[in-house]
Amino acid sequence: MMEVRRSEERGAAHHGWLESRHTFSFADYYDPRHTGFGPLLVINEDRVAPGAGFGTHGHRDMEIISYVLEGALEHKDSIGTGSVLHYGDVQRMSAGSGVRHSEFNGSQAEPVHFLQIWIQPDTRAIAPSYEEKHFDEASKRGTLRLIASRDGRDGSVTIHQNASIYASILDEGERVEHALDPARRAYVHVIRGDASVNGVPLKDGDALKISAIDKIVIDQAEAAELLLFDLP
């Protein structure tokens, strides 16, 4: 089974300081056809104006992953972590039994553009924790670079769910393949550029739900950056 999720069909929020597109139902946007895909519950594409951001707020029992595309994302939380993230940085915060945090544009001059991803953990009420790692462009070019996994293998950040997230940057003529257990599902989200996934053409912001298929082939790329989620 394959189902396309087109960029222009995503939910939208316009708050002046924030422009956001919601792949799945979130906040005031609700679509019963798009409430998540397995444990993958949120992919928000956020653009935050200079000096603005999300004030301190709380989360529980959620794996929250930020993938920065442009600008500087400033993070502070109730477990004592403070950091400024840039392109190539991946942040994982396990909310567990409860955490409060804020996210602001760390620049007074330039917007910040990032994806925020929520994955439902398979263990509840764990101690909150934080991790961040940098994945440079070279490590993602022409390959599927593991950036998040249950066991933190290959230098990825660790998430509390039997899921893996891969990032890739593909230029014209490049092709990658991913073997998928037919009992699992996958979600491919094109961040920017164009690519074909199992013969389905996708552009920036588009995505493809995949299940009951044993191989994913991504090719016909043009300046593409994308994420592949391998999910239970």
Side-chain angles (χ1 to χ4, degrees), residues 102-149:
S102 63
E103 293 167 299
F104 275 84
N105 186 339
S107 169
Q108 296 296 319
E110 302 294 333
V112 62
H113 180 199
F114 67 103
L115 297 182
Q116 185 163 106
I117 298 157
W118 292 8
I119 293 178
Q120 189 172 49
D122 55 13
T123 304
R124 299 176 64 84
I126 61 173
S129 61
Y130 177 94
E131 183 181 15
E132 68 177 68
K133 294 195 174 178
H134 182 77
F135 302 90
D136 62 22
E137 289 188 50
S139 71
K140 295 178 279 190
R141 285 198 175 278
T143 190
L144 288 166
R145 175 64 167 99
L146 185 68
I147 62 170
S149 66

Short mmCIF file of all heavy atoms in Angstrom, two decimals, residues 102-149:
data_model
loop_
_atom_site.label_atom_id
_atom_site.label_comp_id
_atom_site.label_asym_id
_atom_site.label_seq_id
_atom_site.Cartn_x
_atom_site.Cartn_y
_atom_site.Cartn_z
N SER A 102 11.38 25.64 26.29
CA SER A 102 11.06 26.75 25.38
C SER A 102 11.93 26.60 24.14
O SER A 102 13.02 26.02 24.19
CB SER A 102 11.31 28.10 26.05
OG SER A 102 12.69 28.26 26.37
N GLU A 103 11.43 27.14 23.02
CA GLU A 103 12.16 27.12 21.77
C GLU A 103 12.02 28.50 21.12
O GLU A 103 10.90 28.93 20.85
CB GLU A 103 11.61 26.06 20.83
CG GLU A 103 11.83 24.63 21.30
CD GLU A 103 10.99 23.65 20.51
OE1 GLU A 103 9.75 23.77 20.55
OE2 GLU A 103 11.57 22.78 19.85
N PHE A 104 13.14 29.14 20.89
CA PHE A 104 13.13 30.49 20.33
C PHE A 104 14.08 30.57 19.14
O PHE A 104 15.03 29.80 19.03
CB PHE A 104 13.54 31.52 21.38
CG PHE A 104 12.40 31.97 22.26
CD1 PHE A 104 12.04 31.23 23.37
CD2 PHE A 104 11.68 33.12 21.96
CE1 PHE A 104 10.98 31.62 24.17
CE2 PHE A 104 10.62 33.52 22.75
CZ PHE A 104 10.27 32.77 23.86
N ASN A 105 13.79 31.51 18.29
CA ASN A 105 14.74 31.85 17.24
C ASN A 105 15.93 32.54 17.90
O ASN A 105 15.77 33.58 18.53
CB ASN A 105 14.08 32.78 16.21
CG ASN A 105 14.96 33.05 15.02
OD1 ASN A 105 16.16 32.90 15.06
ND2 ASN A 105 14.33 33.47 13.93
N GLY A 106 17.10 31.94 17.76
CA GLY A 106 18.28 32.49 18.40
C GLY A 106 18.88 33.69 17.68
O GLY A 106 19.90 34.22 18.12
N SER A 107 18.26 34.12 16.58
CA SER A 107 18.75 35.28 15.83
C SER A 107 17.75 36.41 15.89
O SER A 107 16.53 36.19 15.85
CB SER A 107 18.99 34.89 14.36
OG SER A 107 19.23 36.03 13.56
N GLN A 108 18.25 37.62 15.96
CA GLN A 108 17.40 38.81 15.91
C GLN A 108 17.25 39.33 14.48
O GLN A 108 16.56 40.32 14.25
CB GLN A 108 17.98 39.91 16.81
CG GLN A 108 18.01 39.56 18.28
CD GLN A 108 16.62 39.38 18.87
OE1 GLN A 108 15.70 40.13 18.57
NE2 GLN A 108 16.46 38.37 19.71
N ALA A 109 17.89 38.65 13.53
CA ALA A 109 17.89 39.15 12.15
C ALA A 109 17.33 38.17 11.13
O ALA A 109 16.73 38.58 10.14
CB ALA A 109 19.33 39.53 11.76
N GLU A 110 17.52 36.87 11.36
CA GLU A 110 17.14 35.86 10.37
C GLU A 110 16.10 34.91 10.93
O GLU A 110 16.12 34.59 12.12
CB GLU A 110 18.37 35.05 9.93
CG GLU A 110 19.50 35.88 9.34
CD GLU A 110 19.12 36.53 8.03
OE1 GLU A 110 18.25 35.96 7.33
OE2 GLU A 110 19.70 37.58 7.69
N PRO A 111 15.17 34.42 10.10
CA PRO A 111 14.21 33.42 10.57
C PRO A 111 14.89 32.08 10.82
O PRO A 111 16.00 31.83 10.34
CB PRO A 111 13.22 33.32 9.41
CG PRO A 111 14.00 33.75 8.21
CD PRO A 111 14.98 34.78 8.69
N VAL A 112 14.24 31.22 11.59
CA VAL A 112 14.70 29.85 11.78
C VAL A 112 13.65 28.91 11.18
O VAL A 112 12.45 29.13 11.32
CB VAL A 112 14.97 29.52 13.26
CG1 VAL A 112 13.72 29.62 14.13
CG2 VAL A 112 15.57 28.12 13.39
N HIS A 113 14.12 27.90 10.49
CA HIS A 113 13.27 26.95 9.77
C HIS A 113 13.65 25.56 10.25
O HIS A 113 14.83 25.17 10.17
CB HIS A 113 13.52 27.11 8.27
CG HIS A 113 12.72 26.20 7.40
ND1 HIS A 113 13.08 25.93 6.08
CD2 HIS A 113 11.59 25.48 7.62
CE1 HIS A 113 12.20 25.11 5.54
NE2 HIS A 113 11.30 24.82 6.45
N PHE A 114 12.68 24.81 10.77
CA PHE A 114 12.99 23.48 11.29
C PHE A 114 11.77 22.58 11.25
O PHE A 114 10.63 23.04 11.13
CB PHE A 114 13.55 23.56 12.72
CG PHE A 114 12.57 24.02 13.77
CD1 PHE A 114 11.98 23.12 14.65
CD2 PHE A 114 12.25 25.37 13.91
CE1 PHE A 114 11.10 23.55 15.64
CE2 PHE A 114 11.36 25.81 14.88
CZ PHE A 114 10.78 24.89 15.74
N LEU A 115 12.02 21.29 11.33
CA LEU A 115 10.97 20.30 11.48
C LEU A 115 10.93 19.87 12.93
O LEU A 115 11.97 19.57 13.54
CB LEU A 115 11.24 19.07 10.62
CG LEU A 115 11.27 19.24 9.11
CD1 LEU A 115 11.51 17.87 8.46
CD2 LEU A 115 10.00 19.87 8.57
N GLN A 116 9.72 19.82 13.50
CA GLN A 116 9.56 19.21 14.81
C GLN A 116 8.73 17.95 14.63
O GLN A 116 7.65 17.97 14.04
CB GLN A 116 8.91 20.13 15.82
CG GLN A 116 8.87 19.48 17.20
CD GLN A 116 8.62 20.47 18.32
OE1 GLN A 116 7.54 20.49 18.88
NE2 GLN A 116 9.63 21.26 18.66
N ILE A 117 9.26 16.86 15.17
CA ILE A 117 8.71 15.52 14.99
C ILE A 117 8.38 14.94 16.36
O ILE A 117 9.20 15.01 17.27
CB ILE A 117 9.74 14.63 14.26
CG1 ILE A 117 10.05 15.20 12.86
CG2 ILE A 117 9.26 13.18 14.18
CD1 ILE A 117 11.39 14.77 12.31
N TRP A 118 7.19 14.38 16.48
CA TRP A 118 6.80 13.69 17.71
C TRP A 118 6.59 12.22 17.42
O TRP A 118 5.86 11.86 16.48
CB TRP A 118 5.52 14.26 18.29
CG TRP A 118 5.61 15.66 18.81
CD1 TRP A 118 6.65 16.54 18.70
CD2 TRP A 118 4.58 16.36 19.54
NE1 TRP A 118 6.32 17.74 19.28
CE2 TRP A 118 5.07 17.66 19.82
CE3 TRP A 118 3.31 16.01 19.97
CZ2 TRP A 118 4.32 18.60 20.51
CZ3 TRP A 118 2.56 16.96 20.65
CH2 TRP A 118 3.06 18.23 20.93
N ILE A 119 7.21 11.38 18.23
CA ILE A 119 7.01 9.93 18.15
C ILE A 119 6.56 9.44 19.51
O ILE A 119 7.17 9.76 20.54
CB ILE A 119 8.31 9.23 17.71
CG1 ILE A 119 8.63 9.60 16.26
CG2 ILE A 119 8.19 7.72 17.87
CD1 ILE A 119 9.90 8.99 15.73
N GLN A 120 5.50 8.67 19.52
CA GLN A 120 4.97 8.13 20.78
C GLN A 120 5.90 7.04 21.29
O GLN A 120 6.21 6.09 20.57
CB GLN A 120 3.58 7.57 20.56
CG GLN A 120 2.85 7.17 21.83
CD GLN A 120 1.41 6.82 21.53
OE1 GLN A 120 1.13 6.06 20.62
NE2 GLN A 120 0.49 7.37 22.31
N PRO A 121 6.39 7.14 22.53
CA PRO A 121 7.30 6.12 23.04
C PRO A 121 6.55 4.84 23.41
O PRO A 121 5.33 4.85 23.59
CB PRO A 121 7.89 6.79 24.29
CG PRO A 121 6.80 7.71 24.75
CD PRO A 121 6.13 8.22 23.50
N ASP A 122 7.30 3.75 23.54
CA ASP A 122 6.67 2.50 23.96
C ASP A 122 6.87 2.24 25.45
O ASP A 122 6.48 1.20 25.97
CB ASP A 122 7.18 1.31 23.14
CG ASP A 122 8.70 1.17 23.16
OD1 ASP A 122 9.35 1.83 24.00
OD2 ASP A 122 9.23 0.41 22.33
N THR A 123 7.49 3.22 26.13
CA THR A 123 7.66 3.15 27.58
C THR A 123 7.22 4.47 28.17
O THR A 123 7.64 5.53 27.71
CB THR A 123 9.15 2.89 27.94
OG1 THR A 123 9.59 1.70 27.28
CG2 THR A 123 9.32 2.72 29.44
N ARG A 124 6.38 4.43 29.18
CA ARG A 124 5.82 5.63 29.76
C ARG A 124 6.52 5.99 31.06
O ARG A 124 7.11 5.15 31.74
CB ARG A 124 4.32 5.47 30.01
CG ARG A 124 3.51 5.22 28.73
CD ARG A 124 2.04 4.97 29.04
NE ARG A 124 1.41 6.14 29.64
CZ ARG A 124 0.91 7.15 28.94
NH1 ARG A 124 0.96 7.12 27.62
NH2 ARG A 124 0.34 8.17 29.55
N ALA A 125 6.44 7.28 31.40
CA ALA A 125 6.88 7.81 32.69
C ALA A 125 8.35 7.59 32.98
O ALA A 125 8.76 7.46 34.14
CB ALA A 125 6.02 7.24 33.82
N ILE A 126 9.19 7.57 31.93
CA ILE A 126 10.63 7.48 32.14
C ILE A 126 11.16 8.84 32.60
O ILE A 126 10.48 9.86 32.50
CB ILE A 126 11.36 7.04 30.86
CG1 ILE A 126 11.13 8.07 29.73
CG2 ILE A 126 10.91 5.64 30.43
CD1 ILE A 126 11.94 7.80 28.48
N ALA A 127 12.38 8.86 33.10
CA ALA A 127 13.00 10.13 33.48
C ALA A 127 13.25 10.95 32.22
O ALA A 127 13.75 10.42 31.22
CB ALA A 127 14.30 9.87 34.22
N PRO A 128 12.90 12.23 32.23
CA PRO A 128 13.15 13.07 31.05
C PRO A 128 14.65 13.10 30.71
O PRO A 128 15.50 13.05 31.60
CB PRO A 128 12.66 14.45 31.47
CG PRO A 128 11.72 14.20 32.62
CD PRO A 128 12.25 12.99 33.31
N SER A 129 14.96 13.20 29.42
CA SER A 129 16.37 13.26 29.01
C SER A 129 16.49 14.02 27.70
O SER A 129 15.49 14.24 27.00
CB SER A 129 16.97 11.85 28.87
OG SER A 129 16.29 11.11 27.88
N TYR A 130 17.73 14.39 27.38
CA TYR A 130 18.00 15.24 26.23
C TYR A 130 19.27 14.75 25.54
O TYR A 130 20.21 14.28 26.18
CB TYR A 130 18.20 16.68 26.70
CG TYR A 130 18.56 17.67 25.61
CD1 TYR A 130 17.57 18.40 24.96
CD2 TYR A 130 19.89 17.87 25.22
CE1 TYR A 130 17.91 19.31 23.95
CE2 TYR A 130 20.22 18.77 24.23
CZ TYR A 130 19.22 19.49 23.60
OH TYR A 130 19.55 20.37 22.61
N GLU A 131 19.29 14.89 24.21
CA GLU A 131 20.47 14.52 23.44
C GLU A 131 20.47 15.31 22.14
O GLU A 131 19.41 15.58 21.57
CB GLU A 131 20.41 13.02 23.12
CG GLU A 131 21.59 12.44 22.39
CD GLU A 131 21.41 10.96 22.10
OE1 GLU A 131 20.28 10.46 22.21
OE2 GLU A 131 22.43 10.32 21.77
N GLU A 132 21.65 15.68 21.67
CA GLU A 132 21.75 16.30 20.35
C GLU A 132 23.03 15.84 19.67
O GLU A 132 24.04 15.57 20.32
CB GLU A 132 21.73 17.83 20.44
CG GLU A 132 22.94 18.45 21.10
CD GLU A 132 22.90 19.96 21.09
OE1 GLU A 132 22.04 20.53 21.80
OE2 GLU A 132 23.75 20.57 20.40
N LYS A 133 22.96 15.73 18.33
CA LYS A 133 24.12 15.33 17.54
C LYS A 133 24.08 16.08 16.22
O LYS A 133 23.03 16.52 15.76
CB LYS A 133 24.14 13.83 17.31
CG LYS A 133 24.34 13.04 18.59
CD LYS A 133 24.74 11.61 18.35
CE LYS A 133 25.05 10.94 19.67
NZ LYS A 133 25.39 9.50 19.49
N HIS A 134 25.26 16.20 15.62
CA HIS A 134 25.38 16.90 14.34
C HIS A 134 25.66 15.90 13.24
O HIS A 134 26.52 15.02 13.38
CB HIS A 134 26.51 17.94 14.41
CG HIS A 134 26.65 18.73 13.14
ND1 HIS A 134 25.80 19.75 12.80
CD2 HIS A 134 27.52 18.61 12.11
CE1 HIS A 134 26.15 20.26 11.64
NE2 HIS A 134 27.19 19.58 11.18
N PHE A 135 24.94 16.04 12.13
CA PHE A 135 25.13 15.19 10.96
C PHE A 135 25.42 16.11 9.77
O PHE A 135 24.52 16.79 9.27
CB PHE A 135 23.88 14.34 10.71
CG PHE A 135 23.51 13.47 11.87
CD1 PHE A 135 22.64 13.93 12.86
CD2 PHE A 135 24.04 12.20 12.00
CE1 PHE A 135 22.30 13.13 13.94
CE2 PHE A 135 23.71 11.38 13.07
CZ PHE A 135 22.84 11.85 14.05
N ASP A 136 26.67 16.15 9.34
CA ASP A 136 27.03 17.10 8.28
C ASP A 136 26.48 16.63 6.93
O ASP A 136 26.05 15.49 6.77
CB ASP A 136 28.54 17.34 8.24
CG ASP A 136 29.35 16.08 7.94
OD1 ASP A 136 28.80 15.12 7.37
OD2 ASP A 136 30.54 16.07 8.28
N GLU A 137 26.51 17.53 5.96
CA GLU A 137 25.95 17.23 4.65
C GLU A 137 26.62 16.02 4.01
O GLU A 137 25.96 15.17 3.40
CB GLU A 137 26.08 18.45 3.73
CG GLU A 137 25.17 19.60 4.08
CD GLU A 137 25.20 20.68 3.01
OE1 GLU A 137 25.05 20.34 1.82
OE2 GLU A 137 25.39 21.85 3.37
N ALA A 138 27.93 15.93 4.16
CA ALA A 138 28.66 14.84 3.52
C ALA A 138 28.18 13.47 4.00
O ALA A 138 28.12 12.51 3.22
CB ALA A 138 30.16 14.99 3.78
N SER A 139 27.79 13.38 5.27
CA SER A 139 27.36 12.09 5.81
C SER A 139 26.00 11.65 5.29
O SER A 139 25.63 10.47 5.41
CB SER A 139 27.32 12.16 7.34
OG SER A 139 26.24 12.97 7.79
N LYS A 140 25.24 12.59 4.68
CA LYS A 140 23.89 12.28 4.18
C LYS A 140 23.83 12.22 2.66
O LYS A 140 22.82 11.78 2.10
CB LYS A 140 22.90 13.35 4.70
CG LYS A 140 22.73 13.34 6.21
CD LYS A 140 21.79 14.42 6.70
CE LYS A 140 22.49 15.75 6.81
NZ LYS A 140 21.67 16.77 7.51
N ARG A 141 24.90 12.64 1.99
CA ARG A 141 24.85 12.72 0.53
C ARG A 141 24.95 11.34 -0.11
O ARG A 141 25.86 10.56 0.17
CB ARG A 141 25.98 13.61 0.00
CG ARG A 141 25.71 15.07 0.23
CD ARG A 141 26.56 15.96 -0.64
NE ARG A 141 26.17 17.36 -0.46
CZ ARG A 141 25.15 17.94 -1.08
NH1 ARG A 141 24.41 17.23 -1.93
NH2 ARG A 141 24.84 19.20 -0.85
N GLY A 142 23.95 11.03 -0.95
CA GLY A 142 23.96 9.79 -1.71
C GLY A 142 23.73 8.55 -0.88
O GLY A 142 23.97 7.43 -1.35
N THR A 143 23.23 8.70 0.34
CA THR A 143 23.01 7.56 1.21
C THR A 143 21.86 7.86 2.16
O THR A 143 21.37 8.98 2.23
CB THR A 143 24.29 7.23 2.01
OG1 THR A 143 24.13 5.97 2.67
CG2 THR A 143 24.59 8.31 3.05
N LEU A 144 21.43 6.84 2.87
CA LEU A 144 20.45 7.00 3.94
C LEU A 144 21.22 6.96 5.26
O LEU A 144 21.70 5.91 5.69
CB LEU A 144 19.39 5.90 3.90
CG LEU A 144 18.38 6.01 2.76
CD1 LEU A 144 17.61 4.70 2.60
CD2 LEU A 144 17.41 7.17 3.00
N ARG A 145 21.36 8.13 5.89
CA ARG A 145 22.13 8.24 7.13
C ARG A 145 21.20 8.08 8.32
O ARG A 145 20.23 8.84 8.48
CB ARG A 145 22.82 9.60 7.18
CG ARG A 145 23.57 9.89 8.51
CD ARG A 145 24.71 8.92 8.70
NE ARG A 145 25.63 9.30 9.76
CZ ARG A 145 25.60 8.81 11.00
NH1 ARG A 145 24.65 7.96 11.37
NH2 ARG A 145 26.51 9.19 11.89
N LEU A 146 21.45 7.09 9.15
CA LEU A 146 20.64 6.88 10.34
C LEU A 146 20.88 8.03 11.32
O LEU A 146 22.03 8.30 11.71
CB LEU A 146 21.01 5.55 11.00
CG LEU A 146 20.16 5.14 12.20
CD1 LEU A 146 18.73 4.82 11.78
CD2 LEU A 146 20.79 3.92 12.91
N ILE A 147 19.81 8.72 11.71
CA ILE A 147 19.96 9.84 12.65
C ILE A 147 19.26 9.59 13.98
O ILE A 147 19.56 10.27 14.96
CB ILE A 147 19.46 11.17 12.03
CG1 ILE A 147 17.97 11.10 11.69
CG2 ILE A 147 20.29 11.53 10.81
CD1 ILE A 147 17.36 12.45 11.30
N ALA A 148 18.32 8.62 14.04
CA ALA A 148 17.64 8.30 15.29
C ALA A 148 17.26 6.83 15.28
O ALA A 148 16.81 6.31 14.26
CB ALA A 148 16.40 9.17 15.48
N SER A 149 17.43 6.17 16.43
CA SER A 149 17.10 4.75 16.52
C SER A 149 16.89 4.35 17.97
O SER A 149 17.25 5.09 18.89
CB SER A 149 18.23 3.90 15.92
OG SER A 149 19.41 4.03 16.71
#
